[in-house]
């Protein structure tokens, strides 16, 4: 459920939902207390109410800041992983140029097939916590071809 919510709604809508949800819960709690404990309304100028409100708003601000920080760290980590994988694929393509032409063509075709599978299917599967079995087969094929190139050239 949470992954669906994160992948379906834009960030601004999630922030609005969370902040608005907490605001509604707080307002609802205030109205319930005012309705069932009317003596609180007569003592509204009391400093203890002001202190309780300050404490709860400070705690909410801390939790909100921590959550935003964690989301940003996760976003940066995913971005870095995608960049690293793209760099490795580019290095494999550049390195394959030094192989015999038949092997270089196979490595290039298998690497591009893997990249296409990741772009078309695996990213969508990862949104729902899965992965593409075909992408694993494609990268295993690249590895097997490179291994065969290593044994034939030595």
């Amino acid at each position: 459920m949470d992954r669906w919510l994160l992948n379906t709604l834009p960030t601004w809508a999630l922030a609005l939902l969370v902040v608005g949800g907490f605001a509604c819960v707080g307002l609802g709690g205030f109205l319930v207390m005012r309705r069932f404990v009317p003596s609180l309304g007569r003592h509204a100028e009391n400093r203890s109410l002001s202190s309780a409100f300050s404490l709860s708003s400070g705690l909410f601000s801390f939790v909100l800041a921590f959550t935003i920080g964690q989301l940003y760290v996760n976003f940066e980590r995913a971005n870095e992983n995608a960049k690293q994988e793209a760099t490795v694929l580019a290095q494999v393509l550049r390195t394959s140029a030094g192989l015999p032409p038949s092997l270089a063509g196979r490595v290039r075709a298998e690497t591009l097939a893997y990249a296409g599978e990741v772009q078309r299917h695996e990213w969508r599967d990862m949104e729902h916590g899965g992965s593409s079995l075909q992408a694993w087969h494609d990268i295993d094929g690249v590895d097997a071809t490179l291994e065969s190139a290593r044994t034939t050239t030595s």
Side-chain angles (χ1 to χ4, degrees), residues 134-146:
Q134 184 60 44
W136 284 102
H137 289 308
D138 288 345
I139 201 67
D140 287 342
V142 172
D143 186 50
T145 303
L146 289 173

Side-chain angles (χ1 to χ4, degrees), residues 25-78:
V25 167
L27 183 62
F30 172 75
L31 293 175
V32 165
M33 291 300 290
R34 188 170 175 185
R35 169 101 169 125
F36 293 112
V37 187
S39 64
L40 287 178
R42 288 190 297 271
H43 304 291
E45 71 281 348
N46 195 344
R47 288 189 183 267
S48 63
L49 290 176
S50 176
S51 298
F53 177 74
S54 297
L55 183 65
S56 63
S57 64
L59 182 62
F60 173 74
S61 299
F62 175 75
V63 169
L64 184 62
F66 181 73
T67 303
I68 290 170
Q70 283 298 102
L71 286 172
Y72 182 74
V73 166
N74 289 343
F75 172 76
E76 284 298 315
R77 190 178 309 140

Side-chain angles (χ1 to χ4, degrees), residues 116-126 131-132 134:
E117 177 65 24
V118 167
Q119 184 182 11
R120 283 189 302 275
H121 298 108
E122 188 165 38
W123 286 346
R124 185 176 39 228
D125 293 343
M126 288 170 69
S131 64
S132 169
Q134 184 60 44

Side-chain angles (χ1 to χ4, degrees), residues 70-129:
Q70 283 298 102
L71 286 172
Y72 182 74
V73 166
N74 289 343
F75 172 76
E76 284 298 315
R77 190 178 309 140
N79 191 25
E80 188 61 35
N81 288 342
K83 285 180 182 178
Q84 184 179 12
E85 186 169 358
T87 300
V88 169
L89 287 177
Q91 288 172 343
V92 167
L93 288 172
R94 277 194 294 273
T95 304
S96 69
L99 295 173
S102 62
L103 287 175
R106 277 183 41 203
V107 169
R108 181 173 173 75
E110 290 171 349
T111 303
L112 293 175
Y114 168 74
E117 177 65 24
V118 167
Q119 184 182 11
R120 283 189 302 275
H121 298 108
E122 188 165 38
W123 286 346
R124 185 176 39 228
D125 293 343
M126 288 170 69
E127 285 181 351
H128 305 291

